[in-house]
Amino acid sequence: MSRGLIVVDVQNDFCEGGSIPVAGGARIATKIAELVEQSAGGEYQYIVATRDHHIDPGGHFSETPDFHDSFPVHCVAGDQGGEFHPNFAPAVAGGKVDAVFFKGAHSASKSGFEGADEQGIPLADWLRARGVEDVDVVGIATDHCVRATALDAGAAGFRARVRLDYAVGVAPDTIAAAVEDFRQAGVAVSGDVPAQ
């Protein structure tokens, strides 16, 4: 039995200075990089990362976004905003991350489980092929893509846990609602919500 770590969307556009910044994004990128460095080959047998990778996501991009289903333009494939944040990118470049899963080319696609690697292998299939049964989910944002990824992990049959101290969210009320969603779905929660 293997445990995997799923790092969700630690990208420039979701950190300070990006098109949809989440307060504390750069700080959490550093914390996650440290976790990855400490845990590779230890606590986690496999570490993967997800990336928003939009080509033409239709109504997901909007000039009048509702910030639930529609958002300002972000993480466009090939643009700097879609790259991993520089506080986290060295962990990927250094080989500590085993695979990257791209999501949302032609859809909203909040969940990492809607993504696939460069060979087109979906995240769930990749994890199962390596005997992963337990996954921890961290990243940006607790109340959006981390939420969707963790809930989909549980629905796909993985024992899922969200490590709140390695995730950052948009607002206290939506973070609290996400945590309640996790509990209702049987997704474990550990740690405390970091101060924004």
Side-chain angles (χ1 to χ4, degrees):
M1 181 178 70
S2 295
R3 175 176 289 277
L5 177 68
I6 303 172
V7 179
V8 177
D9 298 0
V10 182
Q11 295 168 266
N12 289 323
D13 272 345
F14 300 135
C15 296
E16 293 82 350
S19 64
I20 318 176
V22 179
R27 181 177 44 78
I28 221 71
T30 300
K31 278 191 72 173
I32 291 170
E34 292 167 353
L35 175 66
V36 167
E37 290 289 340
Q38 295 161 7
S39 302
E43 181 178 2
Y44 300 108
Q45 286 71 53
Y46 297 99
I47 298 173
V48 301
T50 70
R51 276 177 64 170
D52 249 16
H53 186 74
H54 296 307
I55 296 170
D56 180 15
H60 185 53
F61 285 173
S62 174
E63 292 181 8
T64 55
D66 64 13
F67 292 95
H68 179 70
D69 296 312
S70 60
F71 293 86
V73 174
H74 62 279
C75 297
V76 173
D79 284 359
Q80 189 61 30
E83 297 298 320
F84 288 121
H85 189 275
N87 295 2
F88 174 66
V92 180
K96 302 292 187 183
V97 173
D98 297 295
V100 176
F101 293 82
F102 298 88
K103 60 188 179 69
H106 300 282
S107 67
S109 202
K110 288 186 178 183
S111 169
F113 284 87
E114 297 175 272
D117 68 6
E118 290 180 332
Q119 285 74 47
I121 299 169
L123 176 54
D125 293 352
W126 192 96
L127 293 169
R128 287 193 188 104
R130 288 156 181 80
V132 175
E133 296 182 6
D134 296 83
V135 294
D136 284 353
V137 184
V138 300
I140 306 171
T142 310
D143 35 359
H144 288 278
C145 295
V146 168
R147 173 187 176 278
T149 300
L151 293 176
D152 277 0
F158 296 96
R159 284 186 291 272
R161 174 177 68 165
V162 175
R163 296 185 65 171
L164 293 175
D165 45 344
Y166 290 94
V168 65
V170 174
D173 57 339
T174 50
I175 293 168
V179 170
E180 182 58 29
D181 289 342
F182 299 147
R183 295 199 168 113
Q184 293 285 331
V187 172
V189 176
S190 72
D192 296 317
V193 175
Q196 297 296 97

